[in-house]
Amino acid sequence: MTGKSHLAVMLFLGCIPAAMAQNSAPAADDGHLSTTTSFVVKAPIQRAAPLFGPAGMQCWLGGHMQAEFIHSQSPQNVAGAVFTMQQGPQKSTWVNTMLNVKAGKMQYASFTPGSMVLVVDVRMTAAGKDSTRVELTHTVTPLSAEAREAMKSMGAHSQEHIAAAEKAIEGCLATGGGMRQ
């Protein structure tokens, strides 16, 4: 897998690619970029939040996320969870650095050697009785020239990716996939 396709998949595994962001801070010369996007999940926070933990992401990302759980050796949503994800030849290590499902706040940090460091902040607020507004902030630092170039060229199908993610999340809600706390 090329660095470009690996970066795109890893950013998507962080929930929504940075290229889809509604608000972006300009990239520094080193490629460091922080982006924020939001969308609505048709479920109250207590049902939506588990979908943004490791088990839930496995549900809606389908075959793109193959996690191996190191700490908490199961896909339960626990603070301090450590897991790895293999995507082609690249393996990233993820840490849940904050988990407060009741408050709708989560944070993940990911490191992919030679490729990037990624921090994903998840914030959820009620958007009516049966809906949740999800705001995702991705902060990415590429670790190579190839990864920096890949970040610059992303974004061609951003609305299609958002629609696909929303549909997959709705499918997980319907089947109860990833609903472990």
Side-chain angles (χ1 to χ4, degrees):
M1 177 175 287
T2 67
K4 180 178 177 179
S5 61
H6 173 70
L7 181 63
V9 169
M10 291 308 299
L11 287 173
F12 190 73
L13 289 173
C15 296
I16 300 293
M20 297 176 193
Q22 295 171 345
N23 303 309
S24 297
D29 289 342
D30 61 4
H32 183 83
L33 179 66
S34 184
T35 62
T36 300
T37 192
S38 64
F39 56 97
V40 174
V41 173
K42 296 174 187 170
I45 290 175
Q46 63 269 23
R47 285 198 62 225
L51 288 169
F52 294 89
M57 286 191 294
Q58 284 187 110
C59 178
W60 62 274
L61 290 174
H64 296 290
M65 182 178 170
Q66 300 301 319
E68 177 185 346
F69 295 89
I70 308 302
H71 170 63
S72 173
Q73 303 192 357
S74 70
Q76 293 182 2
N77 297 331
V78 297
V82 177
F83 53 100
T84 61
M85 289 192 293
Q86 187 76 39
Q87 182 66 37
Q90 298 278 333
K91 189 174 197 173
S92 59
T93 301
W94 289 72
V95 178
N96 175 273
T97 57
M98 177 180 44
L99 180 71
N100 186 337
V101 174
K102 288 182 181 180
K105 296 179 182 181
M106 299 177 201
Q107 184 180 67
Y108 295 91
S110 171
F111 172 71
T112 306
S115 183
M116 71 173 169
V117 173
L118 169 66
V119 176
V120 181
D121 286 294
V122 182
R123 300 290 180 264
M124 297 178 207
T125 54
K129 180 181 173 187
D130 293 320
S131 295
T132 301
R133 175 181 153 82
V134 179
E135 182 177 279
L136 302 170
T137 299
H138 294 77
T139 304
V140 184
T141 303
L143 301 176
S144 67
E146 183 181 26
R148 278 189 295 281
E149 288 305 310
M151 282 179 61
K152 289 178 186 177
S153 65
M154 289 177 61
H157 305 288
S158 61
Q159 292 304 317
E160 291 171 26
H161 288 134
I162 289 173
E166 288 175 334
K167 185 175 181 174
I169 288 169
E170 286 178 18
C172 292
L173 286 166
T175 63
M179 295 301 178
R180 292 180 229 152
Q181 285 294 333

